[in-house]
Amino acid sequence: MKKDIEIPLVENVEIAIIKEYNEDFLSDAWYAYLFNNSEKPIEAILVVSQAKGQIDGHDRQSSLFRHAFPILQAKECLKIELLDDNVFTLDNHFMLSYFQDSKLYDKNFIFKANTISSDKLTKLDNTSKMGILAK
């Protein structure tokens, strides 16, 4: 029976951290974005994010954030959440689940501690934005 369970591979759907100007703060801010680079929309999207790690030998973690979106069309992106600079010293985890063609997809994206910084920004494909893609 286990051999009958299909676990589809997530392809062409990515999470990136992008630095852009925030009108409310009148300064640059960091945001997590979801990119659907596939040819089909994704639906019933759930993103759960949390930062975890150690600081000075003590375990630390941020609050758990949950975001739900009904649909993301093909070749589009959407802003998931605003990030606080203080969590960049921790591993930032994004757990993504969604449906595409009536199949459930699931993937964990991780930005390792201290990998989110202005000097690591690169041009992202299919957009004019500069950001950092999850590994």
Side-chain angles (χ1 to χ4, degrees):
M1 292 172 88
K2 280 187 176 180
K3 65 180 174 60
D4 296 327
I5 298 173
E6 179 188 353
I7 301 173
L9 182 64
V10 171
E11 295 179 321
N12 300 317
V13 176
E14 301 172 308
I15 291 184
I17 304 298
I18 294 175
K19 187 176 189 180
E20 62 186 16
Y21 189 74
N22 181 310
E23 291 289 337
D24 294 333
F25 301 141
L26 301 177
S27 66
D28 287 337
W30 293 91
Y31 293 93
Y33 271 82
L34 176 63
F35 286 85
N36 179 9
N37 297 322
S38 71
E39 299 296 327
K40 298 177 182 175
I42 60 176
E43 300 175 304
I45 304 159
L46 177 65
V47 180
V48 179
S49 64
Q50 185 175 40
K52 303 179 204 177
Q54 286 203 341
I55 299 176
D56 299 327
H58 296 98
D59 287 336
R60 300 284 186 221
Q61 65 183 21
S62 71
S63 298
L64 193 69
F65 293 98
R66 294 173 186 89
H67 309 278
F69 307 98
I71 192 166
L72 179 58
Q73 296 297 331
K75 305 295 182 188
E76 290 188 2
C77 67
L78 60 81
K79 193 181 291 186
I80 300 171
E81 71 181 26
L82 173 67
L83 298 173
D84 187 326
D85 298 13
N86 293 321
V87 299
F88 297 165
T89 58
L90 304 170
D91 294 340
N92 286 268
H93 299 257
F94 292 86
M95 296 158 277
L96 170 67
S97 298
Y98 62 89
F99 283 93
Q100 189 175 48
D101 292 333
S102 300
K103 291 183 186 175
L104 177 64
Y105 289 80
D106 186 56
K107 184 172 181 178
N108 291 326
F109 295 88
I110 299 174
F111 294 89
K112 291 288 187 184
N114 301 309
T115 60
I116 302 172
S117 64
S118 294
D119 62 327
K120 294 185 175 66
L121 293 172
T122 59
K123 171 76 172 71
L124 299 174
D125 293 338
N126 303 321
T127 183
S128 62
K129 298 181 183 299
M130 299 285 289
I132 303 163
L133 285 174
K135 299 292 179 199

